[in-house]
Amino acid sequence: MPAVNLRASLILHALEEAEAELIGKAVVLTDGKAGTVVAVSLDELHGLRISIAGHDGKWPVSTIKFVQN
């Protein structure tokens, strides 16, 4: 497999893992927003971002302060 295909495959695998780990979980962000993660997306400028039920917008995964066990 060419190196670029391998890299793309690894990125997509990491996205799938993040989705499995976060979707449906309650989270609290560093700015105080809280809710259930409804989507995880890959933004070419910012990396992984999450959407939270009841809040418009997408936030970087790095702003998660707490994730439900």
Side-chain angles (χ1 to χ4, degrees):
M1 179 181 298
V4 70
N5 289 357
L6 179 60
R7 182 169 294 176
S9 178
L10 291 172
I11 290 168
L12 291 175
H13 181 69
L15 175 61
E16 289 173 0
E17 285 181 342
E19 286 175 330
E21 185 177 324
L22 292 172
I23 291 181
K25 298 273 180 94
V27 296
V28 177
L29 303 182
T30 55
D31 65 359
K33 287 182 180 67
T36 304
V37 177
V38 293
V40 176
S41 59
L42 185 60
D43 180 332
E44 65 184 45
L45 297 176
H46 302 102
L48 286 178
R49 297 179 72 80
I50 59 170
S51 297
I52 300 173
H55 298 283
D56 290 333
K58 296 180 180 178
W59 292 269
V61 172
S62 62
T63 62
I64 296 175
K65 183 177 179 179
F66 173 79
V67 177
Q68 167 193 9
N69 287 332

